[in-house]
């Protein structure tokens, strides 16, 4: 079983910053494209950012210029650095493989952006 372990969420004010981490134990990490998803209250889960095996990245328009996804293959970890956070960024953030095979979802990490 692959266990996805997200961390780093919390309560921040609008304009604040936060860095999320996702640790993926095991040897499969380097062979997969990884992504961050989020689910806002009352909304469908959406794809936020993607990073390929080679390091190429893609972002949803809502976060372009504010979020940066990265990966460290020596630590089996994918990161999401978030700047200039907005209230609409609030939600539970999840990591997972992308796009064809989805592992069992982890618990996610809650990001709340509010004054």
């Amino acid at each position: 079983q692959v266990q996805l372990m997200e961390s780093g969420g919390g309560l921040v004010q609008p304009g604040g910053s936060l860095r999320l981490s996702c640790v993926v134990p095991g040897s499969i990490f380097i062979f997969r494209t990884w992504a961050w998803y989020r689910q806002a209250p009352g909304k469908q889960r959406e794809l936020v950012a993607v990073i390929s095996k080679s390091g190429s990245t893609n972002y949803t328009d809502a976060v372009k210029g504010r979020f940066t996804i990265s990966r460290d293959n020596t630590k089996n970890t994918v990161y999401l650095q978030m700047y200039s956070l907005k209230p609409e960024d609030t939600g539970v953030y999840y990591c997972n493989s992308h796009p064809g095979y989805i592992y069992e979802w982890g618990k996610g990490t809650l990001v709340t952006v509010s004054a």
Side-chain angles (χ1 to χ4, degrees), residues 4-7 20-24 29 36 76-79 95:
L4 308 174
M5 295 177 287
E6 302 95 341
S7 63
L20 309 182
S21 299
C22 174
V23 178
V24 185
F29 181 84
W36 284 97
N76 285 6
T77 302
V78 60
Y79 304 95
C95 65

Side-chain angles (χ1 to χ4, degrees), residues 44-115:
Q44 186 178 0
R45 180 186 284 128
E46 66 172 333
L47 184 65
V48 176
V50 178
I51 185 164
S52 73
K53 298 187 297 291
S54 63
S56 298
T57 60
N58 284 294
Y59 302 90
T60 188
D61 287 344
V63 308
K64 285 182 179 178
R66 300 187 298 116
F67 291 10
T68 301
I69 187 171
S70 61
R71 64 190 291 166
D72 186 341
N73 289 336
T74 69
K75 296 182 177 181
N76 285 6
T77 302
V78 60
Y79 304 95
L80 187 67
Q81 179 67 61
M82 305 183 293
Y83 297 105
S84 301
L85 284 162
K86 304 176 180 179
E88 51 263 43
D89 295 318
T90 294
V92 179
Y93 284 68
Y94 304 88
C95 65
N96 216 316
S97 185
H98 178 84
Y101 189 90
I102 301 295
Y103 295 101
E104 183 176 356
W105 296 98
K107 65 179 182 180
T109 185
L110 176 63
V111 172
T112 302
V113 185
S114 176

